[in-house]
Amino acid sequence: MRTHCPYCALQCAMTLDEDGDAYRAAGDATFDVNAGELCVKGWTAAETLRHPQRLLSPLVREGGRLREASWNEALDRAAEGLRRVRERYGAAAVGVFGSGALTNEKAYALGKFARLAVGTPNFDYNGRFCMSSAAAAQVRAFGLDRGLPFPLEWIARTACLLVVGDNLFETMPPLRRYLDAQAQEGRRIVVDPRRTELARTANVHLQPAPGTDVAVANALLHVLVAEERIDRRYIGERTRGFEAVQRAVEREHPERAERRSGVPAEEIRRAARMLAEAPSSIILTGRGPEQHANGTDGASAYINLALALGLPGREHCGYGTLTGQGNGQGGREHGQKSDQLPGYRKIDDAAARAHVAQVWGVAPESLPGRGLTAYELLSAVGEQIHALVVMASNPVVSAPHASDIRRRLAGVEHLVVCDFFLSETAELAQVVLPSLQWAEETGTMTNLEGRVLLRERCVEPPPGPRSDLAILRSLCQRLGAPDVLAGDDPEEIFEELRRASAGGLADYGGITYQRLRDGERLCWPCPDPAHPGTPVLFRERFATPDGRAGFSVVEHRRLVEPPNREFPWYLTTGRIREQYLSGTQTRRVAPLRRAAPEPFVEMHPLLAAAHGVSDGEAVRLVSPRGSVVLRAKLDEGIRRDTLFVPFHWGGAQAINTLTSDALDPVSRMPAFKVCAVRMERVPTNG
Ligand SMILES: Nc1nc2c(c(=O)[nH]1)N[C@H]1C(S)=C(S)[C@@H](COP(=O)(O)OP(=O)(O)OC[C@H]3O[C@@H](n4cnc5c(=O)[nH]c(N)nc54)[C@H](O)[C@@H]3O)O[C@H]1N2
Ligand SMILES: Nc1nc2c(c(=O)[nH]1)N[C@H]1C(S)=C(S)[C@@H](COP(=O)(O)OP(=O)(O)OC[C@H]3O[C@@H](n4cnc5c(=O)[nH]c(N)nc54)[C@H](O)[C@@H]3O)O[C@H]1N2
Ligand code: SF4
Ligand SMILES: [Mo]
């Protein structure tokens, strides 16, 4: 039985074999992306399928507690609450929150549910918390956002790899084989405040203070321009706006960047020369430079560098971002953003609205306009938003300033959550609807290369849970809109998605289940059934009106919350190998829980010593928004002024209690990667 992993955007292929009462996963060697490899999360993923804590029955709230209910009762209650709120406050008072974990079919269906059956503009998803800054920067520069505009193999073939704020040996371990191949002759530069395992393999490791990526990137460009090591011909033929950027980086000499970021000027020069001398280079960003109040600029600064070197569209070269969630890529192509419609169409573009309205059989005027983005939506709960439907996300753990979000969701008039475990968010719901899991249902996922994969049902589900598509269909019926989802067959929904996306930027028009079953390797755009798909973008032109890529002037900005006397240290947050996102799934998997039972705060031994803290001791971290007690983990690879905490735990261990809700003005991405904190010793009682 063959399937793909339920977790990240690498979408490694795996086989599942029945093993007594459980299933056992193994890597599928026939799939080129992972070639038989899996990470520890993949190896253990099957444990969630028959997990004792799996939700098998719907739950409804009664007398302050959740109790089991029949599907009819739960669906009636769910729809009744939505109707009540809609009648009392209007449809815009209902929010719908989706996810990059959802298949393309579900993402598409959830959008129809929100926009047609509920009629709300306030539909967004957790991908806004993920790669939306890089997406915004790519759209700004290239007119199109596909995480990698080239195949993964190019990473193995490039001469110089620059990785900015991505811990890929921990977050996408099977990528290692591409990097091992690259390393045989290639060069590697890593930009990360921590000396990650990847950074240890680099020729140059730049360690900026969190939130100073723009300063470093601009200084790299400064050196390239000053030493005339840029590709003037490419710049002239394929780009626009370079002159303004050239003027802007004239003052951005490495010494200035050193003062702002702490990265030695000489190291910046070395990195710039290494890039310039390489016959081919790839620049990749991860969440490090992106999850900031200036995260779009962080990604743009590195895109500027790529353009000045003439990389995008050239063989074994380019700029890319490593998209995170299983369907983080596809999830954003089918209209899960409050400003987008299927096929990556813009919701305020009249032609786009007309096309989608025609496929949906409604008048264009009946489609809602642009709504609130993810954090705005969650933080409007209790004010503008009085009912919320959450499908496949756990924002009580994963949203910034999470204690405020928890308070809001706990008090909201009506909360409906679809999940297969009782997540911290589901615990607060009025109605919990239990969903099927990945291997139990069919659907397509689009990986970080923009490649569409068919994940077919290969395991019999337990009695009780229903597919998200069936749940949405039942809700449409109960909201008096049975035609919105005529069926819940994934292939039929995909057929409609093909038509809705046709002619858009993310054109799936030529992709069919049959072609995928036949083993074709299809990356969008793929406009017709004879089209081979597009693994490499931008060879001849960019997706902009004039076909040229645009430089953007971006300038270093003071942090929204710089360290000060009361909160003197930078806090940054991220991931560890054994846990996934809000941890709902991986915290329940025994080997992962054993290997990574609790969060920690990583700090430099000198910083620890200055506080009288030793390894393993409990410390309290305090930000302007709250405090959390964690165990210290000493590591001399991290900057002396920076603390790192993984965010995979809820309750008293949730680091998002501390994070800041400052948002990027373009992408509306929260600043997960930096806020100011202080550290206090926790006195032990003997
Ligand atoms: N094990 C595991 N794997 C995962 C996930 C998971 O939860 N667990 N999640 C998946 C998802 S959804 C995503 S989005 C990806 C994310 O994958 P990554 O981007 O690799 O993950 P992070 O740990 O968030 O951040 C990466 C690095 O950014 C660095 N960093 C922090 N602040 C800054 C900064 O200001 N500038 C720079 N340059 N670097 C900084 C951190 O030290 C960290 O090493 O991983 C995917 N894979
Ligand atoms: N401090 C800090 N916070 C962060 C980040 C960070 O680096 N630092 N990273 C951010 C990033 S990049 C991301 S992607 C977000 C993600 O954060 P979340 O949106 O909370 O993501 P998950 O933890 O994957 O939540 C998915 C939930 O849906 C369930 N689920 C999974 N698949 C399905 C499905 O098909 N159907 C249904 N109905 N349920 C399903 C799971 O059991 C789980 O409870 O977190 C963000 N938050
Ligand atoms: S790298 Fe990602 S897709 Fe591959 S096994 Fe690990 S979590 Fe699953
Ligand atoms: Mo993500």
Side-chain angles (χ1 to χ4, degrees), residues 2 4 10-14 28-37 177-178 447 449 451 453:
R2 185 174 184 277
H4 291 268
L10 214 49
Q11 281 300 291
C12 297
M14 57 168 69
D28 177 352
T30 65
F31 185 64
D32 54 299
V33 169
N34 59 308
E37 286 178 41
R177 71 191 183 90
Y178 299 93
N447 81 353
E449 306 166 283
R451 175 169 169 191
L453 307 168

Side-chain angles (χ1 to χ4, degrees), residues 5-12 14 34 37-43 171-174 580:
C5 176
Y7 303 118
C8 86
L10 214 49
Q11 281 300 291
C12 297
M14 57 168 69
N34 59 308
E37 286 178 41
L38 296 175
C39 77
V40 63
K41 300 191 303 302
W43 286 115
T171 52
M172 293 191 183
Y580 188 67

Side-chain angles (χ1 to χ4, degrees), residues 21-363:
D21 286 344
Y23 290 96
R24 188 182 295 278
D28 177 352
T30 65
F31 185 64
D32 54 299
V33 169
N34 59 308
E37 286 178 41
L38 296 175
C39 77
V40 63
K41 300 191 303 302
W43 286 115
T44 56
E47 206 177 292
T48 60
L49 292 169
R50 302 236 170 122
H51 198 282
Q53 289 170 4
R54 171 109 190 245
L55 295 173
L56 298 175
S57 157
L59 305 173
V60 297
R61 187 163 299 277
E62 191 174 274
R65 299 185 43 188
L66 287 169
R67 65 156 169 86
E68 291 194 356
S70 70
W71 272 101
N72 259 335
E73 185 188 3
L75 288 165
D76 285 346
R77 280 267 304 261
E80 226 172 73
L82 298 179
R83 276 206 311 267
R84 191 181 62 236
V85 165
R86 189 165 66 177
E87 275 155 27
R88 199 176 294 164
Y89 309 96
V94 178
V96 178
F97 199 88
S99 168
L102 297 175
T103 61
N104 291 318
E105 294 77 2
K106 294 180 187 181
Y108 175 79
L110 189 63
K112 276 189 96 178
F113 164 78
R115 287 170 173 141
L116 298 186
V118 177
T120 182
N122 294 319
F123 170 45
D124 213 72
Y125 83 129
N126 67 1
R128 192 69 79 169
F129 294 163
C130 187
M131 56 336 100
S132 62
S133 287
Q138 280 177 306
V139 169
R140 191 151 86 175
F142 310 135
L144 177 81
D145 138 44
R146 202 180 82 190
L148 295 181
F150 47 77
L152 280 168
E153 291 94 50
W154 281 21
I155 294 177
R157 305 253 175 96
T158 198
C160 182
L161 184 63
L162 166 57
V163 181
V164 190
D166 198 289
N167 183 13
L168 49 86
F169 282 175
E170 291 204 56
T171 52
M172 293 191 183
L175 280 184
R176 189 185 272 263
R177 71 191 183 90
Y178 299 93
L179 275 92
D180 285 349
Q182 188 259 345
Q184 288 176 358
E185 292 168 34
R187 302 262 137 183
R188 191 170 301 164
I189 305 163
V190 170
V191 187
D192 195 307
R194 300 186 303 140
R195 199 190 312 137
T196 57
E197 216 180 302
L198 174 70
R200 283 174 216 280
T201 69
N203 302 88
V204 181
H205 176 202
L206 310 180
Q207 274 188 284
T212 61
D213 291 282
V214 173
V216 174
N218 279 347
L220 289 167
L221 186 53
H222 170 97
V223 175
L224 294 176
V225 175
E227 300 184 359
E228 197 49 44
R229 288 166 178 244
I230 51 177
D231 190 338
R232 292 263 176 209
R233 183 156 162 212
Y234 179 98
I235 291 170
E237 285 172 2
R238 302 215 48 195
T239 73
R240 76 187 116 74
F242 180 64
E243 298 71 24
V245 168
Q246 179 167 353
R247 273 195 306 278
V249 300
E250 235 159 57
R251 290 161 290 140
E252 304 298 322
H253 44 81
E255 283 70 20
R256 196 169 193 205
E258 176 171 345
R259 284 196 298 279
R260 289 165 165 171
S261 68
V263 178
E266 268 325 296
E267 292 292 291
I268 294 177
R269 291 203 171 83
R270 245 184 92 204
R273 287 168 194 153
M274 197 169 280
L275 271 172
E277 279 156 19
S280 58
S281 313
I282 285 179
I283 301 178
L284 298 175
T285 60
R287 302 304 82 82
E290 299 169 9
Q291 291 179 323
H292 287 287
N294 67 345
T296 305
D297 284 355
S300 285
Y302 278 99
I303 290 176
N304 284 343
L305 195 62
L307 290 173
L309 288 164
L311 306 179
R314 235 174 72 203
E315 195 79 357
H316 306 155
C317 294
Y319 164 84
T321 181
L322 293 168
T323 294
Q325 296 182 87
N327 198 29
Q329 180 68 49
R332 61 193 194 252
E333 294 158 6
H334 306 298
Q336 276 197 95
K337 274 186 177 168
S338 61
D339 52 352
Q340 284 180 351
L341 289 171
Y344 250 141
R345 292 185 158 88
K346 296 199 174 68
I347 203 161
D348 36 25
D349 165 2
R353 294 171 67 84
H355 173 84
V356 173
Q358 175 254 322
V359 174
W360 287 357
V362 298

